[in-house]
Amino acid sequence: MQYLENAYINGNWYPLTGPDRFPLVNPATEECIAKVTMATESDVNQAVAAANQALPAWSNTSNKKRAEYLNAIADEMLNRYDDLIQAHVQSMGCPTSLTGAFHIDCAIEAMRYYAEMAPMIDKVEQRENNLITKQPIGVCALINPWNYPLHQLVGKLAPALATGCTVVIKPAEQTPLADQIMAQIIHKVGLPAGVFNLLFGRGHVIGPMLAEHPKVNMISFTGSTRAGIEVAKNAASSVKRVCQELGGKSAYIITEDADLEAAVRYGVEDVMGNTGQTCNALTRMLVPKSRYQEIIKIAAQVAQEQVVGDPNHESSTMGPLASAQQFNIVQDYIRIGIEEGAELLVGGTDRPEGLSKGYYVKPTIFTKVTRDMRIAREEIFGPVLCIMEYDEVENAIDIANDSEYGLSSGVYAKDQASALPIAARLDAGQCYIQGSFFSMYAPFGGVKQSGNGREWGEEAMHEYIETKAIICP
Ligand code: NAD
């Protein structure tokens, strides 16, 4: 049993003294592997004070020096690669063989990518007689969910450090291990005290404290739309910038003339990856009625190829869901889908064969899903794909856009040229065409209730930058 009893504040391990201990459960074994002490208000105040104290020196450190720190962090992440893998396997059940590709590699590269971007803050634009300059926004609170613990952290931390901001980080309750390793890495590379501060804590307890805090200049939140709305409300009284990366129910249109084998395989694998716990998963597959039978045959085949099992087995492609809570949510939605009249093509509520322990669920595909059903409208956050039929592409675009979410979308058409005009009409922050994958060079974020602001790409830097105009005579 591990005990995580220290926050990392002002360059030191800082003992948390509150009475609340969060039990960390390995979702594959259902065993408690650690107890995590949850921060209190005075811990939050200490962390915010340290970040404020460090800000003037860090924001005046040269961009070259800041880039050196980011690269040193990336080097040390590489040294701690196996530990980072284990942190994900133990706390969220990701298969060991896939964890590097899913969770770690891109995070390391991202540190280097934002190191290269550090000079952006010093660029001055001359516009007529005015100088348009930039400055770091200041102290940033970074709050993250449990489904991509390291990836989400780095997506915020790297641009924040590159611009000269200081940070207070709060990971999800269930996944503090990767963040803890990152604090050790930061300590080892000697980042100046107070630039990086880490607290463990309950979202509904310390989240509002961070959002309301008058000495926090910006809050970057990733998580559910419900909590994202709370954060924005709590942040309003101090008029801080709020970046919200929230939920999704993304549509994926396959056209009649697409390569069906490739298109359907891509769509099913996209939803099953990370056991369906991916905010931008293409969970509504819109298929032409004319090719429905061929499509569902391929979809069933791909789902049945998934190997659900022990994350430590080489052959496993899907581990358990990350928590008992998520297991119950997903089971409920599968039941709801059946009650609503959708047809189960594969999967269902029973546990996968031979897996009586652990939060494992079957890869599940519903067909005959209609747009009014809850399973078509609400985020399930598990390996559950909804197949919906359409007559004409126009009708598919209408179904795709009929959602309160707008995080991502996808199109697989005959070729790129035919996919692009459809992509242009989808109301979402991203569109993946012809089987493409996440790219950290592209801005990521949602429209409608999927959020405000953009992470990744160059756009992530702007979240942490204030523009200042110097008006010259
Ligand atoms: P969640 O909203 O319950 O929790 C996310 C984080 O917010 C956790 O750290 C939690 O402790 C904290 N939190 C909870 N209540 C809070 C409050 N009132 N104030 C401040 N912080 C609070 O979400 P989750 O279940 O951990 O994560 C799954 C959700 O995250 C899904 O909806 C998923 O789509 C979304 N997500 C979005 C993105 C994206 O980039 N758009 C990426 C990953 C996950």
Side-chain angles (χ1 to χ4, degrees):
M1 175 82 70
Q2 276 190 72
Y3 291 89
L4 277 67
E5 295 174 320
N6 295 319
Y8 185 76
I9 296 177
N10 206 21
N12 280 308
W13 298 102
Y14 169 97
L16 291 164
T17 51
D20 185 9
R21 308 267 181 286
F22 185 87
L24 204 66
V25 173
N26 178 330
T29 61
E30 299 185 31
E31 278 162 17
C32 180
I33 53 167
K35 293 263 173 75
V36 189
T37 307
M38 302 279 97
T40 60
E41 187 167 11
S42 74
D43 306 323
V44 170
N45 288 335
Q46 289 289 335
V48 173
N52 273 280
Q53 209 182 336
L55 184 66
W58 181 244
S59 57
N60 284 304
T61 300
S62 72
N63 65 55
K64 186 164 170 282
K65 186 74 193 156
R66 284 202 301 268
E68 279 169 20
Y69 278 118
L70 284 167
N71 283 320
I73 295 169
D75 292 343
E76 195 50 28
M77 287 169 79
L78 214 46
N79 291 339
R80 299 289 304 273
Y81 195 84
D82 292 343
D83 297 335
L84 287 168
I85 296 238
Q86 274 314 309
H88 287 75
V89 176
Q90 285 175 20
S91 61
M92 58 170 302
C94 188
T96 316
S97 56
L98 300 176
T99 303
F102 265 67
H103 294 278
I104 320 287
D105 301 346
C106 173
I108 297 175
E109 266 188 60
M111 278 291 175
R112 301 198 196 283
Y113 172 53
Y114 287 102
E116 274 173 37
M117 244 179 277
M120 185 196 278
I121 191 86
D122 293 324
K123 288 216 175 100
V124 177
E125 183 197 338
Q126 170 124 32
R127 206 181 290 165
E128 300 296 331
N129 56 333
N130 311 309
L131 299 176
I132 316 300
T133 67
K134 300 181 181 68
Q135 59 188 43
I137 194 161
V139 172
C140 303
L142 314 180
I143 300 186
N144 277 316
W146 45 265
N147 62 328
Y148 284 90
L150 183 68
H151 179 87
Q152 297 296 346
L153 169 62
V154 171
K156 298 179 192 314
L157 177 65
L161 294 183
T163 50
C165 292
T166 58
V167 300
V168 177
I169 295 158
K170 192 209 90 62
E173 290 83 327
Q174 303 96 307
T175 51
L177 299 179
D179 297 70
Q180 160 104 339
I181 294 170
M182 288 301 286
Q184 292 162 353
I185 289 172
I186 296 284
H187 195 71
K188 175 136 194 226
V189 305
L191 199 69
V195 172
F196 173 107
N197 303 279
L198 170 68
L199 291 167
F200 307 122
R202 304 234 181 221
H204 67 278
V205 179
I206 69 165
M209 293 171 193
L210 287 166
E212 283 166 10
H213 208 295
K215 293 285 198 183
V216 170
N217 305 102
M218 181 266 195
I219 184 157
S220 178
F221 174 85
T222 299
S224 60
T225 298
R226 175 202 61 77
I229 292 169
E230 283 294 307
V231 167
K233 283 184 183 166
N234 289 327
S237 57
S238 54
V239 200
K240 57 174 62 73
R241 184 179 296 170
V242 181
C243 176
Q244 295 158 298
E245 298 286 344
L246 311 178
K249 190 75 192 179
S250 303
Y252 171 45
I253 299 177
I254 298 178
T255 64
E256 205 172 16
D257 51 4
D259 171 349
L260 291 189
E261 175 62 38
V264 178
R265 173 167 293 281
Y266 166 81
V268 176
E269 288 178 348
D270 179 77
V271 172
M272 302 307 161
N274 209 36
T275 317
Q277 303 160 118
T278 302
C279 52
N280 61 340
L282 302 170
T283 48
R284 292 185 291 148
M285 183 186 279
L286 311 189
V287 306
K289 268 196 181 117
S290 56
R291 305 205 64 185
Y292 174 72
Q293 289 303 336
E294 293 159 82
I295 286 172
I296 62 169
K297 201 167 153 216
I298 302 167
Q301 165 68 33
V302 178
Q304 276 150 4
E305 286 170 15
Q306 299 300 311
V307 182
V308 184
D310 186 339
N312 292 308
H313 286 174
E314 244 336 88
S315 58
S316 298
T317 60
M318 265 176 64
L321 287 164
S323 65
Q325 188 193 3
Q326 201 55 31
F327 177 84
N328 291 330
I329 291 172
V330 172
Q331 293 285 323
D332 281 349
Y333 271 113
I334 298 175
R335 256 178 244 120
I336 289 167
I338 296 167
E339 282 162 20
E340 286 179 309
E343 288 179 13
L344 266 181
L345 178 68
V346 291
T349 50
D350 303 333
R351 280 171 184 259
E353 217 173 299
L355 294 168
S356 54
K357 204 162 202 192
Y359 307 127
Y360 295 98
V361 289
K362 287 181 170 173
T364 296
I365 301 181
F366 279 112
T367 57
K368 304 291 172 196
V369 178
T370 54
R371 60 163 103 186
D372 51 307
M373 291 181 182
R374 281 183 64 192
I375 57 166
R377 308 200 73 79
E378 297 172 19
E379 187 180 42
I380 299 174
F381 226 52
V384 182
L385 171 66
C386 294
I387 297 187
M388 306 168 77
E389 294 162 63
Y390 71 83
D391 296 309
E392 304 289 335
V393 169
E394 205 55 41
N395 168 232
I397 294 170
D398 184 46
I399 299 171
N401 290 339
D402 181 12
S403 171
E404 63 189 31
Y405 292 114
L407 185 56
S408 187
S409 59
V411 179
Y412 212 120
K414 181 162 164 272
D415 48 32
Q416 182 166 323
S418 346
L420 284 173
I422 305 174
R425 293 182 59 197
L426 296 179
D427 213 357
Q430 284 204 324
C431 187
Y432 291 78
I433 65 167
Q434 305 304 96
S436 51
F437 295 101
F438 174 82
S439 163
M440 68 174 172
Y441 306 106
F444 183 102
V447 302
K448 299 191 271 185
Q449 294 208 7
S450 288
N452 272 313
R454 292 292 178 266
E455 292 193 327
W456 303 104
E458 196 181 302
E459 285 72 8
M461 295 286 284
H462 299 294
E463 300 291 338
Y464 300 92
I465 287 174
E466 283 284 22
T467 301
K468 178 171 180 179
I470 298 175
I471 317 298
C472 307

